Amino acid sequence: MKKPVDGYVPMMTEIPRFLEHYENLPDQLNVGPYQKNWMKMSYIDRFAQDLMAPDFNPPFSGKFYGKPSSKQQENLKGLRMVRALRHAAVLMEERPDEPFWKCHEFCPEVDLIIKVVQAAVSPDGGEVDGVGHIAPIPYQYWQFDLLSGDELVAAHDAINDLALKMRKALLSKNVREKIKCFKRNATDRYKHLMKVATSAWAAQNNSNLLIRLDWGYRKTYPVVLPEFLSQEDFRLQCAEVSEFRKIMLDVLQKMFGKDLAFYAWKIECGDVKGLHVHWLLAVNGNKHQDRINVPRQIADAWDAAIGKDKGYTFNVNALDLPNKTGLRVLDYNDPELLEVLGRYCDYLTKVDLTLKLRLPEKMRSFGSSKLQKVKKNKPGPARKYQMQMRKVLDVRGPQGKMSLNKPGKNK
């Protein structure tokens, strides 16, 4: 496998680690249609971040018009743009009928680029809201490797013009507001979950055992990548996972009763895992101190209730990083408490930068326990110390902070 190009920094979306950024060719990989679509979307999303970057230059701004190389960064960006155009064109053709499109809401950046490409590859171009008229590109994306001389220069000029138009539209007030709205729900969820989580220490117990568990479908061998055959198939799979989630919550409440300090869950759909559920919860740390075996007991109970042949539960607490993960008994005056909660609440509520899972009607993808009110005259001796007071956004994990990054001003 080739080494990554020096100086390349991945943008918002991470591509699977077994692929280098320039080897991300979904159509040539032996993967299912769902994963191919996800990878194409990720590539287009990363290209959108290139367009909005403060140090943006037209992709073919150098004098060299040969094939891209690690020594010609402008042409590497041009290569990424040509591939993004190709992926967008393929996705555009699949979009109306693919079940993949019907169960997801796509980020405004990617949606705008796909619409621009749709106009650019049309014989007469077309109008795009917020962008204006898009002139047709004189060559198809598959022809660029065959061009040379004046034809290649003309193609590069057309791509540069298209990139500048997309950049201007992406940095416009209207599109930025759409992007903000797309990400706002994650921030609101994060703030609410932080209130719910901290109330477990402020209003209930002076110490709690923090637990992270993940539930997913058991893998098959050979591996069968997830895909939805139809909208009805998607609805049935979501209904099944939602029912399993209710069973898991029922098991938790029966196991711990009032010792269950708080809980939160989120249903996601991964390109390899398919539908799965993330859990973050805390139980009374005065009665439950074993950071590995307590969550293991929960995992065993879930697998028994749902069926070991159907799914499995991953015990995140069992990772051999107790001091780094923070999944342990935490006291109310622990100096790391808020940062630990901020990290895991952020992970559970992170914005899905490329797409959001859109569950069928009357099904939820996120939920938590109720906010506990702090009693003014709480029984028992007064606490010797006070909990830390910090702004919730200051302790937010890297996922949320990255989503709040703002692109630079247009040059």
Side-chain angles (χ1 to χ4, degrees), residues 273-286:
K273 292 181 181 179
L275 291 167
H276 57 280
V277 189
H278 294 296
W279 285 87
L280 176 67
L281 59 112
V283 296
N284 191 337
N286 297 310

Side-chain angles (χ1 to χ4, degrees), residues 164-330:
L164 290 171
K165 284 190 175 182
M166 286 192 285
R167 172 177 167 81
K168 183 177 180 180
L170 288 170
L171 294 178
S172 68
K173 184 177 180 180
N174 183 42
V175 174
R176 294 308 303 166
E177 184 61 31
K178 289 181 180 179
I179 295 172
K180 185 177 179 181
C181 291
F182 185 82
K183 298 175 180 178
R184 183 181 295 134
N185 193 33
T187 300
D188 291 343
R189 282 181 177 179
Y190 167 75
K191 291 179 179 179
H192 173 72
L193 185 54
M194 279 295 289
K195 290 181 180 179
V196 171
T198 52
S199 70
W201 280 263
Q204 289 183 271
N205 311 311
N206 60 2
S207 66
N208 289 294
L209 172 61
L210 192 64
I211 296 172
R212 266 277 293 115
L213 295 165
D214 292 331
W215 182 92
Y217 284 100
R218 189 167 292 280
K219 295 180 180 179
T220 58
Y221 295 95
V223 175
V224 178
L225 294 167
E227 75 178 281
F228 306 115
L229 302 178
S230 65
Q231 188 68 14
E232 178 63 14
D233 181 42
F234 173 67
R235 188 191 68 80
L236 291 174
Q237 290 191 44
C238 289
E240 183 178 57
V241 172
S242 296
E243 187 60 32
F244 290 159
R245 193 269 307 165
K246 292 177 183 178
I247 293 174
M248 288 184 270
L249 179 56
D250 185 58
V251 169
L252 278 177
Q253 292 172 334
K254 289 180 178 178
M255 286 182 68
F256 297 102
K258 293 183 178 180
D259 287 341
L260 182 59
F262 89 92
Y263 65 84
W265 53 268
K266 184 182 181 184
I267 297 176
E268 292 183 350
C269 187
D271 58 300
V272 176
K273 292 181 181 179
L275 291 167
H276 57 280
V277 189
H278 294 296
W279 285 87
L280 176 67
L281 59 112
V283 296
N284 191 337
N286 297 310
K287 298 180 181 180
H288 309 278
Q289 290 89 28
D290 194 327
R291 72 175 186 89
I292 294 178
N293 288 313
V294 171
R296 180 178 293 166
Q297 291 170 5
I298 299 173
D300 291 342
W302 283 355
D303 292 344
I306 295 173
K308 291 186 177 181
D309 60 331
K310 193 68 176 177
Y312 69 97
T313 304
F314 179 69
N315 181 4
V316 181
N317 283 54
L319 294 174
D320 191 23
L321 298 169
N323 295 326
K324 294 182 180 180
T325 63
L327 298 174
R328 53 183 171 83
V329 175
L330 293 162

